[in-house]
Amino acid sequence: MDFELPPHVIEFRNTVKRIIRDVVTPEMIDEMHTSGTFTNHTLNRALAKEGLLERAVPGMGMGDPLELWVLFNELEKAGAPYDGISTSIMVAGVVQQVGTDEQKQAMIPTVVSGEALVCMGYSEPDYGSDVASIVTRAVRDGDEFVINGAKMWTTMAHEAKWLILLTRTDTEVPKHKGLTMFLLSMDTPGITVEPVHTMGTERTNATFYDNVRVPVSAVLGEINGGWRTMAVALAFERGVMGGTNVAVPMLRHFRKWAAKHIGDDGVALIDDTLVRERLARIAIDNEVAKLLTQRSAWIAASGGLPGLEGSMTKVFASEAYQKAVRWCQQMAGPAGLLQFHEPNAAADGWIEYDSRHSPVTTIYGGTSEINRNNIAERHLGLPKAR
Amino acid sequence: MDFELPPHVIEFRNTVKRIIRDVVTPEMIDEMHTSGTFTNHTLNRALAKEGLLERAVPGMGMGDPLELWVLFNELEKAGAPYDGISTSIMVAGVVQQVGTDEQKQAMIPTVVSGEALVCMGYSEPDYGSDVASIVTRAVRDGDEFVINGAKMWTTMAHEAKWLILLTRTDTEVPKHKGLTMFLLSMDTPGITVEPVHTMGTERTNATFYDNVRVPVSAVLGEINGGWRTMAVALAFERGVMGGTNVAVPMLRHFRKWAAKHIGDDGVALIDDTLVRERLARIAIDNEVAKLLTQRSAWIAASGGLPGLEGSMTKVFASEAYQKAVRWCQQMAGPAGLLQFHEPNAAADGWIEYDSRHSPVTTIYGGTSEINRNNIAERHLGLPKAR
Amino acid sequence: MRLGLTDDQLAIKEVFAGFFGKESTPAVVRAAEPGGFDPKLWRRVCETGAPGMGVAEDAGGGGASLGDLAVVAEEFGRSIAPIPLIDHQVAARVLARFGGARTDVTDGETLASFALRPAVNGSWWLVPGGSVAGLTIGLDGDELVAVESAPPAAAPRNHAAQPLADRSTAGARTVLASGDAAHAAFDRALNEWKTLTAATLVGIGAQALHMALDYVQSRIQFGKPIGAFQAVQQSLADLPIAIDGGRLLAHKAAWAGDNEAAGVDGHLDIDDNDNSNFAVLAGMAFVFNADGAAHATDRSLHFHGGYGFAEEYDIQLFYRRARGWALVYDDPARECGRLADTMFGPRESVR
Amino acid sequence: MRLGLTDDQLAIKEVFAGFFGKESTPAVVRAAEPGGFDPKLWRRVCETGAPGMGVAEDAGGGGASLGDLAVVAEEFGRSIAPIPLIDHQVAARVLARFGGARTDVTDGETLASFALRPAVNGSWWLVPGGSVAGLTIGLDGDELVAVESAPPAAAPRNHAAQPLADRSTAGARTVLASGDAAHAAFDRALNEWKTLTAATLVGIGAQALHMALDYVQSRIQFGKPIGAFQAVQQSLADLPIAIDGGRLLAHKAAWAGDNEAAGVDGHLDIDDNDNSNFAVLAGMAFVFNADGAAHATDRSLHFHGGYGFAEEYDIQLFYRRARGWALVYDDPARECGRLADTMFGPRESVR
């Protein structure tokens, strides 16, 4: 029972905090919400410049494994645009683990320098939770594969230099066993990107693959080993790269606003008994979400694979966040409906934004139902129920 | 949109209220909790004497069909011991609908006079939710059936004169089609009753049937038509015979206590902001539970069969009650732990009692899960999922 | 006792279900964002008589009861029509009640709105319909007034794309009532607004359930429609309960409101769960349906998966309105506090 | 950073899991109802050294940290042992902290209890362990005192069959601390009690989940174990999350408490979710685990079906203790109010 970070990780955290303080301006956050693209080149480069991205890549051995969690936890708490680099660093870790030397040399330096982003093509229009059934085909043609199909939710595809793409290479075997992952450049001819706008402002994409030709050397991992490559990615992510403490900035934004929002009766909103109880419960859940995330980071740093722990954290944190958002928007009353830049908006519009953002958090990266299935079957040992 | 009862039903209600006022004493309620047997002969006879039981029996045509609901709603709100007569009146309705003249003449007068109670033998140790699979056998032997088996949760068996018993008479057909219901006297040789005590104080029973011989004339409904007879019983019950407004007396008990319970700061508990919000939400749910029940009564009184509406009411009311109990026990703090007759017990011990009683309400008469399955399949039209 | 609709109400329901289903499609709703007002749809709804249908016949209106308006409101909610219909109906009824019925308001030619909060420093904060209404009815100190003034050019950007605006108490000002009468009239109108908003929220919730059922029956994952999984079914099974319960409660509030208007005072005995008090039922209906519609749209969006979050799908339109159309009044928890004051009496032991 | 147990703690866990599993079976728990105290079990637990293990070594105790005690508490909770172990451990630590360590208390020969509330009119209300303790530690005005007096004959009948009693401040009275020091010592002890109770509740929840899993895997309905239905699985899947989260929180509180005792003050920055403050973590652990254990036992009982409600099944024993062992202190909602005072500052705009 020692919850304190080791000194060198504290130093790492202080560096992250300093960079955030210096680089992440309200204007930067504003631009991210206006553009819908949750990445920022200035921030990425600033982190890269001090070697933080390199240290965070899993398996590179440059920093303490806890630093991956610390980096994204600080970025998340600050409300900074980090979606681009989180995916990129995770994929860099996958390439480090299963990629060829050629792939490593081509791709990793571009990511850890903060110059290049990576996007992921897993889900398809007809296959979301059931991703093992995807139908985008990659057909061998001599030394090449020819890829045809469509992907959904290819976030950052319009900014990324790299793409990892899950395809079906064998239709004659059980569905998990006929998948192959590719690492390719977004410049490859035949790729089209169409924006998909969301209620949370964030832009994602549909991507289309029309006779996209890649050399056999673009296979990431083994041919027909795509499911395994995806599992490596998931194991790296394990819920420690952001997404489990998003209620922290919301509580901070709300608290600051509620302290200066004086009702007609002269009482500050923060002093309302019904508000205080709910804020305390949000703070408790934030602490628990942090501890569950910290546990995954600790297990990973100790050489374990916190897969189910990540599922548990994700279910808890996303549902606690949604509850917290509902409470905050209700407590704010009409002010909780006003958007960024509107006078009198609760917490400068953050509450309204969180209310639009929160629904997706129990959907992406595995719905709560899929995660609960996994917990029931693999953690509790109950019979398979689907 | 007219929510007012017709004048003659108001008069009926006033009569029920008067009898309750005159007959239902704190001592009577206390005796019910001490004995664990939730019926009272004096009350039953008082209701019978003024013809109220007779009027309430479904299908007898003696009173407005709304009166069934009104009778049990008033008894429930008063916290009176009514479990015995509610089952009895329901079964009297079944006998009225599907029984032979002989059965009607033998059984109904004993019930509507408040003299005899009825118990029900449906569930078995191994079959609760899956009641269609029960294995208590009834085997034809000339003009008789010989019954062997065991039943669980045969509440009132130790007080009842009559028993309706679900048995398997044919093992060669699909399970719903081989069931037969019997109406028999509890005096019939071969029946043993063993008490089963519950955390809610209420006593129920396990009953055992050892070569119990009954004439063919004891069949209630058709041979192998037991499922249909049970459906008639369910249709009569339809959630209007108590069980959906049990949070009403709890709120009343809590409110009265909270008004006189003064904290160390001199503030009455009822004036605590956190208490007031929760009490208001309980009152809202009580109103909704009443309206949903009233709807079932109205549909039935208009000639409809409110089966799914009854399921919906039951799920809502029982879960709202459990939430309300949890809140009340928490709001009461340590006083909410003290039982009847202990000094300083919250609401004279009612809160502690409700906390022990409430768990069963989402279990008996169809678990919430079974009811939700039914709603999903039969009301929402979703595919069968079990 | 008759808990369902009268034959007349069934006819009203059919007419407005048809009207809104045809005129206020999701495309129309979407096109009216972010301002939240479609002038063409308003003109069309005026042709149906809906804006003035709640005004007494002798004042030139349709003479509809609050119960009838609740039937319209549910269909309005089902289509989340981009017009401030409820606000206008409530305002028109207030005007007529104080002898100020105006043909242009009853007809809907002049759009009226009702300020949900008393004015502070000469301004009514976030009046629903305020960005498009030429006439604002509201409480200003101890006076209930109608103020005629030009609406602002635009609404502040808001969650539900509602035509909201802060409105000044300055302008061509008519005093409708003063003193206790003004406060009573304001309370009455606010209770009508809560009741009709509750019915609107029932419609939003019912439509969200309908959309969820469509989606989960057609979306196949793991070789089955996702609606065949108990994980989905158990969660969706709660929705019709809350919708039906919420509708009964909104209807009972409307019935109690009509009784009150007819001079039949309601009864309130919480200890006996016996309650026909308009103010209490209106508050209850608001709280219960604010929660119910928020939950129904949340579950429906969730079971749409990623598509539910995509702007091009319709459920997000409902999700946002389920929240905005209720919270423009207030936090349901604070409304519970006010209900407690009525149900359990004032906080006597607290200074 | 090491979130798991140390090797020593793993050994402690094994010893006490074995002890309670063997000595405090459900039959033992049941036999001790309604009084809630098994003197034989208390004597046996004294042999393990548990009553005084949290007392400093130089005061004659086992020198265990609060973290070590939390490990014991979880196993104690898992077996819902009918002895007031937590209360005694907290009381013994207070005594020792003020130089009043007594061998008879450290050994457990004299049972001590800790009053969770300051005395009012010369009486401590519902002291856990109060019906059997010969020594009561509590706050009386501005003094922290230890009062020696004979316990009452019986406990009032209560939900969890706890050995509760009201205790008088009269008796052989030793003042342990006065003024600010007394209040600080009381707060410290109360935070220890909350932390250890939180760990106890983790044990209750974990055992309730264990019992649910046993039952749903063996109970067949519709031709399958009921644990094969998603309706059951989805609901049970929440339990390990709350249990693991609650355990981490209780352990962090214990760690912060040990730091505080060692003179390392905690840090509190809620805006940054950075919190090592003992008082706040203890309150959080209490609230979170009071809710968690109540929920876990509720779900476990529910999935036992009718049998869960039968007295002869064990889950009802856990259900009642999950509530009683927490609420004997207070409503978690009120504890949230106190946490808010620390986390967000006092209510300055309210007189």
Side-chain angles (χ1 to χ4, degrees):
Chain A
M1 290 183 204
D2 176 7
F3 291 78
E4 189 61 274
L5 296 175
H8 60 279
V9 179
I10 292 180
E11 200 181 311
F12 177 89
R13 185 178 65 181
N14 290 341
T15 308
V16 177
K17 280 183 184 291
R18 173 175 48 77
I19 295 173
I20 289 171
R21 213 164 39 233
D22 292 348
V23 176
V24 180
T25 58
E27 292 71 29
M28 182 188 287
I29 293 175
D30 202 46
E31 191 210 317
M32 132 186 164
H33 287 296
T34 310
S35 69
T37 298
F38 286 24
T39 189
N40 184 283
H41 203 59
T42 308
L43 173 61
N44 299 353
R45 265 194 294 203
L47 293 167
K49 195 173 147 213
E50 307 214 21
L52 305 194
L53 299 187
E54 192 171 48
R55 286 174 66 150
V57 173
M60 292 265 288
M62 310 289 285
D64 188 302
L66 289 171
E67 293 172 8
L68 181 69
W69 161 58
V70 169
L71 172 63
F72 288 101
N73 189 239
E74 293 301 328
L75 291 169
E76 173 166 42
K77 288 191 297 184
Y82 70 87
D83 290 8
I85 47 168
S86 67
T87 308
S88 303
I89 286 187
M90 184 181 69
V91 176
V94 177
V95 171
Q96 172 68 25
Q97 167 129 348
V98 306
T100 61
D101 285 346
E102 188 191 341
Q103 286 171 329
K104 289 182 201 173
Q105 283 156 21
M107 184 265 198
I108 295 177
T110 67
V111 167
V112 299
S113 63
E115 298 303 324
L117 297 177
V118 187
C119 62
M120 299 190 299
Y122 293 174
S123 294
E124 296 184 0
D126 288 337
Y127 302 98
S129 292
D130 185 14
V131 71
S133 296
I134 55 114
V135 295
T136 289
R137 285 300 307 274
V139 176
R140 183 79 179 249
D141 180 20
D143 284 347
E144 294 186 325
F145 278 93
V146 184
I147 303 171
N148 280 284
K151 294 286 174 183
M152 210 39 212
W153 320 121
T154 330
T155 307
M156 295 294 157
H158 61 297
E159 293 282 340
K161 174 176 171 57
W162 301 100
L163 161 73
I164 58 169
L165 186 64
L166 189 68
T167 65
R168 181 159 307 283
T169 35
D170 191 337
T171 58
E172 305 298 312
V173 292
K175 56 188 186 177
H176 297 75
K177 298 186 175 169
L179 301 170
T180 299
M181 189 79 83
F182 291 90
L183 171 66
L184 59 160
S185 166
M186 281 299 290
D187 295 339
T188 317
I191 303 178
T192 322
V193 177
E194 282 187 10
V196 173
H197 297 290
T198 68
M199 70 181 290
T201 320
E202 189 169 356
R203 170 189 168 160
T204 179
N205 304 286
T207 48
F208 301 92
Y209 306 88
D210 180 18
N211 287 319
V212 175
R213 287 190 165 265
V214 292
V216 172
S217 61
V219 170
L220 183 62
E222 304 286 321
I223 292 176
N224 289 337
W227 192 253
R228 159 98 192 98
T229 302
M230 207 167 65
V232 172
L234 224 58
F236 284 140
E237 204 276 330
R238 51 178 120 69
V240 301
M241 297 175 70
T244 59
N245 250 178
V246 59
V248 171
M250 190 188 63
L251 178 60
R252 182 176 66 240
H253 295 138
F254 188 90
R255 185 198 69 73
K256 289 185 176 175
W257 172 71
K260 59 181 197 205
H261 182 76
I262 313 293
D264 297 340
D265 54 0
V267 176
L269 192 63
I270 190 95
D271 290 344
D272 178 322
T273 305
L274 293 175
V275 169
R276 290 169 86 76
E277 186 213 349
R278 285 177 278 184
L279 293 186
R281 290 192 190 271
I282 294 170
I284 295 172
D285 285 348
N286 282 350
E287 178 68 38
V288 172
K290 176 202 179 143
L291 287 170
L292 288 169
T293 311
Q294 190 175 357
R295 174 176 67 165
S296 294
W298 174 68
I299 292 174
S302 315
L305 268 184
L308 282 165
E309 288 82 358
S311 288
M312 290 163 71
T313 307
K314 206 248 173 193
V315 169
F316 179 82
S318 56
E319 297 189 354
Y321 169 51
Q322 291 182 347
K323 185 175 67 179
V325 172
R326 192 176 66 241
W327 279 344
C328 283
Q329 196 177 32
Q330 289 181 339
M331 291 187 287
L337 303 175
L338 297 175
Q339 301 194 334
F340 290 128
H341 305 298
E342 295 297 344
N344 299 315
D348 296 327
W350 279 101
I351 302 309
E352 194 279 333
Y353 164 73
D354 277 300
S355 180
R356 282 185 290 112
H357 171 64
S358 62
V360 79
T361 60
T362 50
I363 296 169
Y364 64 15
T367 65
S368 289
E369 287 73 20
I370 294 288
N371 278 309
R372 285 197 173 86
N373 277 345
N374 288 340
I375 295 164
E377 289 171 16
R378 299 198 285 128
H379 184 64
L380 300 181
L382 294 173
K384 199 161 166 61
R386 101 182 102 97
Chain B
M1 289 183 204
D2 176 7
F3 292 77
E4 188 63 274
L5 296 175
H8 60 279
V9 179
I10 293 180
E11 199 182 311
F12 177 90
R13 184 178 66 181
N14 290 341
T15 308
V16 178
K17 280 183 184 289
R18 173 173 49 75
I19 295 172
I20 289 171
R21 213 162 41 233
D22 292 348
V23 175
V24 179
T25 59
E27 292 71 29
M28 180 187 287
I29 292 176
D30 202 44
E31 191 209 316
M32 132 185 164
H33 287 296
T34 310
S35 69
T37 299
F38 286 23
T39 189
N40 183 283
H41 204 58
T42 308
L43 173 61
N44 299 352
R45 267 195 292 205
L47 293 167
K49 198 175 146 210
E50 306 214 23
L52 304 195
L53 299 188
E54 194 171 49
R55 286 174 66 150
V57 174
M60 292 265 287
M62 312 289 285
D64 188 302
L66 289 171
E67 292 172 9
L68 182 69
W69 161 58
V70 169
L71 172 64
F72 287 102
N73 190 239
E74 293 301 327
L75 290 169
E76 173 166 42
K77 289 191 297 185
Y82 70 88
D83 291 7
I85 46 167
S86 67
T87 308
S88 304
I89 285 188
M90 183 181 68
V91 176
V94 176
V95 171
Q96 172 67 26
Q97 167 130 347
V98 306
T100 61
D101 286 347
E102 190 191 341
Q103 286 171 330
K104 289 182 200 172
Q105 283 154 26
M107 185 267 198
I108 296 176
T110 68
V111 167
V112 299
S113 63
E115 298 302 323
L117 296 178
V118 187
C119 63
M120 299 189 300
Y122 292 174
S123 294
E124 297 184 359
D126 289 336
Y127 302 98
S129 290
D130 185 16
V131 71
S133 295
I134 55 116
V135 295
T136 289
R137 285 300 307 272
V139 175
R140 184 79 178 251
D141 180 20
D143 284 347
E144 295 185 325
F145 277 94
V146 184
I147 302 173
N148 281 284
K151 293 286 174 182
M152 211 37 212
W153 321 121
T154 332
T155 306
M156 296 295 156
H158 60 298
E159 293 282 339
K161 175 177 170 55
W162 301 101
L163 162 72
I164 57 167
L165 186 64
L166 189 68
T167 66
R168 181 157 307 282
T169 36
D170 192 337
T171 57
E172 306 296 312
V173 291
K175 58 189 185 175
H176 296 76
K177 298 187 173 168
L179 302 170
T180 300
M181 190 79 84
F182 291 90
L183 172 66
L184 60 161
S185 166
M186 282 298 290
D187 295 338
T188 316
I191 302 179
T192 323
V193 177
E194 283 187 10
V196 172
H197 297 290
T198 68
M199 71 180 291
T201 321
E202 188 168 356
R203 172 191 166 157
T204 179
N205 303 285
T207 48
F208 301 92
Y209 306 88
D210 181 17
N211 286 318
V212 175
R213 287 191 167 265
V214 291
V216 171
S217 60
V219 170
L220 184 61
E222 304 286 322
I223 293 176
N224 290 337
W227 192 253
R228 158 100 192 99
T229 302
M230 208 169 64
V232 172
L234 225 58
F236 284 141
E237 205 276 330
R238 53 179 118 68
V240 302
M241 298 177 68
T244 59
N245 250 179
V246 59
V248 171
M250 190 188 63
L251 177 60
R252 180 176 68 242
H253 295 137
F254 188 91
R255 184 198 69 73
K256 289 184 176 176
W257 172 72
K260 59 183 197 205
H261 183 76
I262 311 294
D264 297 341
D265 54 0
V267 176
L269 192 63
I270 189 98
D271 289 344
D272 178 321
T273 304
L274 293 175
V275 169
R276 291 169 84 77
E277 185 214 347
R278 284 177 279 184
L279 294 186
R281 290 193 190 270
I282 295 170
I284 294 172
D285 285 348
N286 283 349
E287 178 67 38
V288 171
K290 176 202 179 141
L291 287 170
L292 288 168
T293 311
Q294 189 174 357
R295 174 176 68 163
S296 294
W298 174 68
I299 291 174
S302 314
L305 269 183
L308 283 165
E309 288 82 358
S311 288
M312 289 163 71
T313 307
K314 207 244 172 198
V315 169
F316 178 83
S318 56
E319 297 189 353
Y321 169 52
Q322 291 182 345
K323 185 175 66 178
V325 171
R326 191 176 67 240
W327 279 345
C328 283
Q329 196 177 34
Q330 289 182 340
M331 291 186 287
L337 302 175
L338 299 174
Q339 302 195 332
F340 290 129
H341 306 299
E342 295 296 346
N344 299 315
D348 296 328
W350 278 102
I351 302 309
E352 194 280 333
Y353 164 73
D354 278 296
S355 181
R356 281 184 291 112
H357 171 64
S358 61
V360 78
T361 60
T362 50
I363 296 170
Y364 64 15
T367 65
S368 290
E369 287 74 20
I370 295 288
N371 277 310
R372 285 199 174 87
N373 277 344
N374 289 340
I375 295 164
E377 289 170 16
R378 299 199 281 129
H379 184 64
L380 300 181
L382 294 172
K384 199 161 166 58
R386 90 181 112 97
Chain C
M1 190 171 106
R2 179 189 171 118
L3 301 195
L5 304 185
T6 62
D7 292 343
D8 280 356
Q9 287 172 338
L10 286 169
I12 291 172
K13 182 180 166 69
E14 199 183 324
V15 166
F16 283 96
F19 174 81
F20 286 116
K22 179 160 166 283
E23 302 290 339
S24 177
T25 59
V28 167
V29 172
R30 209 178 277 279
E33 293 212 338
F37 182 64
D38 181 337
K40 180 166 154 272
L41 180 61
W42 181 255
R43 283 193 299 273
R44 296 299 315 273
V45 87
C46 290
E47 291 163 18
T48 70
M53 79 181 273
V55 170
E57 282 182 26
D58 56 17
S65 67
L66 200 54
D68 299 337
L69 296 183
V71 173
V72 178
E74 182 172 333
E75 300 310 317
F76 165 69
R78 220 182 280 272
S79 77
I80 51 170
I83 47 174
L85 180 61
I86 300 305
D87 315 292
H88 181 92
Q89 286 175 332
V90 169
R93 281 163 69 89
V94 176
L95 276 182
R97 203 169 294 132
F98 289 93
R102 286 167 38 163
T103 309
D104 61 334
V105 171
T106 302
D107 293 350
E109 204 176 304
T110 295
L111 226 157
S113 64
F114 173 67
L116 303 172
R117 286 163 281 274
V120 175
N121 299 330
S123 175
W124 287 298
W125 188 47
L126 291 183
V127 178
S131 70
V132 291
L135 191 70
T136 309
I137 313 287
L139 197 64
D140 185 15
D142 287 330
E143 291 178 333
L144 186 71
V145 297
V147 174
E148 200 153 359
S149 57
R157 288 193 169 241
N158 65 83
H159 197 58
Q162 279 176 277
L164 305 176
D166 299 349
R167 295 301 296 265
S168 166
T169 56
R173 195 168 182 276
T174 311
V175 176
L176 301 173
S178 302
D180 287 350
H183 287 279
F186 174 75
D187 289 347
R188 163 84 202 179
L190 186 57
N191 289 332
E192 292 193 355
W193 185 90
K194 287 179 200 169
T195 301
L196 296 179
T197 295
T200 304
L201 293 166
V202 170
I204 293 180
Q207 182 62 16
L209 171 58
H210 179 75
M211 293 160 77
L213 292 173
D214 272 358
Y215 190 83
V216 303
Q217 284 174 308
S218 60
R219 173 76 174 175
I220 313 288
Q221 295 284 280
F222 306 105
K224 293 197 236 182
I226 60 173
F229 291 101
Q230 280 192 345
V232 175
Q233 292 193 354
Q234 293 275 313
S235 182
L236 286 180
D238 282 335
L239 273 41
I241 306 177
I243 292 163
D244 286 6
R247 181 186 292 117
L248 285 162
L249 188 52
H251 285 185
K252 188 172 178 183
W255 165 79
D258 285 326
N259 281 347
E260 187 190 84
V264 181
D265 272 347
H267 180 74
L268 180 64
D269 182 351
I270 292 298
D271 282 350
D272 197 35
N273 203 29
D274 192 1
N275 171 15
S276 48
N277 177 294
F278 180 40
V280 171
L281 287 164
M284 285 181 161
F286 172 78
V287 171
F288 190 83
N289 287 298
D291 288 344
H295 184 66
T297 52
D298 173 81
R299 291 294 81 195
S300 183
L301 190 156
H302 179 73
F303 290 123
H304 276 75
Y307 291 106
F309 194 60
E311 224 172 40
E312 66 186 304
Y313 272 65
D314 296 332
I315 184 61
Q316 54 92 7
L317 301 170
F318 288 82
Y319 174 95
R320 291 187 284 116
R321 281 158 186 82
R323 284 153 185 75
W325 290 11
L327 296 183
V328 70
Y329 170 54
D330 204 359
D331 179 3
R334 273 192 291 270
E335 180 72 0
C336 284
R338 288 185 285 262
L339 279 169
D341 292 345
T342 312
M343 295 192 295
F344 310 121
R347 303 172 67 208
E348 284 181 355
S349 67
V350 182
R351 314 113 301 172
Chain D
M1 191 171 105
R2 180 190 169 119
L3 302 194
L5 305 185
T6 63
D7 292 343
D8 280 357
Q9 288 172 336
L10 286 169
I12 291 173
K13 182 179 166 71
E14 199 183 325
V15 166
F16 284 95
F19 174 82
F20 286 116
K22 180 160 165 284
E23 302 289 338
S24 178
T25 59
V28 168
V29 172
R30 208 179 278 279
E33 294 211 335
F37 182 64
D38 181 336
K40 181 166 155 273
L41 180 62
W42 181 254
R43 284 193 300 273
R44 296 298 316 274
V45 88
C46 289
E47 291 164 17
T48 69
M53 78 182 274
V55 170
E57 282 182 27
D58 56 16
S65 66
L66 199 55
D68 299 337
L69 296 183
V71 173
V72 178
E74 182 171 333
E75 301 310 317
F76 165 69
R78 219 181 281 270
S79 77
I80 52 171
I83 48 173
L85 180 61
I86 300 306
D87 315 292
H88 181 93
Q89 286 175 333
V90 170
R93 282 164 68 91
V94 177
L95 276 182
R97 203 167 296 133
F98 290 92
R102 285 165 40 161
T103 310
D104 60 334
V105 171
T106 302
D107 293 350
E109 206 176 303
T110 295
L111 227 158
S113 63
F114 173 66
L116 303 173
R117 286 162 280 276
V120 175
N121 298 329
S123 176
W124 288 299
W125 187 48
L126 291 183
V127 178
S131 69
V132 292
L135 190 71
T136 310
I137 313 288
L139 197 63
D140 184 15
D142 286 330
E143 292 179 333
L144 186 72
V145 297
V147 173
E148 200 153 359
S149 59
R157 287 192 169 244
N158 64 83
H159 197 59
Q162 278 175 279
L164 304 176
D166 299 350
R167 294 302 295 267
S168 166
T169 55
R173 194 167 184 277
T174 310
V175 176
L176 301 173
S178 303
D180 287 350
H183 287 278
F186 173 77
D187 290 346
R188 163 84 202 178
L190 187 57
N191 290 332
E192 291 194 357
W193 186 91
K194 287 179 201 170
T195 301
L196 296 179
T197 294
T200 304
L201 293 166
V202 170
I204 293 179
Q207 182 61 16
L209 171 58
H210 179 76
M211 294 161 76
L213 292 174
D214 272 358
Y215 190 84
V216 303
Q217 283 173 307
S218 60
R219 173 76 174 176
I220 313 286
Q221 296 284 282
F222 306 104
K224 294 196 233 182
I226 60 173
F229 290 102
Q230 280 192 346
V232 175
Q233 292 194 354
Q234 292 276 312
S235 181
L236 286 179
D238 282 334
L239 271 43
I241 306 177
I243 291 163
D244 286 5
R247 181 186 293 117
L248 285 163
L249 189 51
H251 285 184
K252 188 172 179 184
W255 165 79
D258 285 328
N259 281 348
E260 186 190 83
V264 181
D265 272 347
H267 179 74
L268 180 64
D269 183 351
I270 291 299
D271 282 350
D272 197 34
N273 203 29
D274 192 2
N275 171 15
S276 49
N277 177 295
F278 179 40
V280 170
L281 288 164
M284 284 181 162
F286 172 79
V287 171
F288 190 82
N289 286 297
D291 287 344
H295 184 66
T297 51
D298 173 81
R299 291 295 81 195
S300 183
L301 190 156
H302 180 74
F303 290 123
H304 275 73
Y307 291 105
F309 193 60
E311 223 172 39
E312 65 186 304
Y313 273 66
D314 296 332
I315 184 62
Q316 53 93 6
L317 301 169
F318 288 82
Y319 174 95
R320 291 186 285 116
R321 282 160 184 79
R323 285 152 185 76
W325 291 12
L327 297 183
V328 69
Y329 170 53
D330 204 0
D331 179 2
R334 273 193 291 270
E335 181 71 1
C336 284
R338 287 185 286 263
L339 278 169
D341 292 344
T342 312
M343 294 191 297
F344 310 123
R347 301 172 67 208
E348 284 183 354
S349 66
V350 181
R351 315 110 303 169

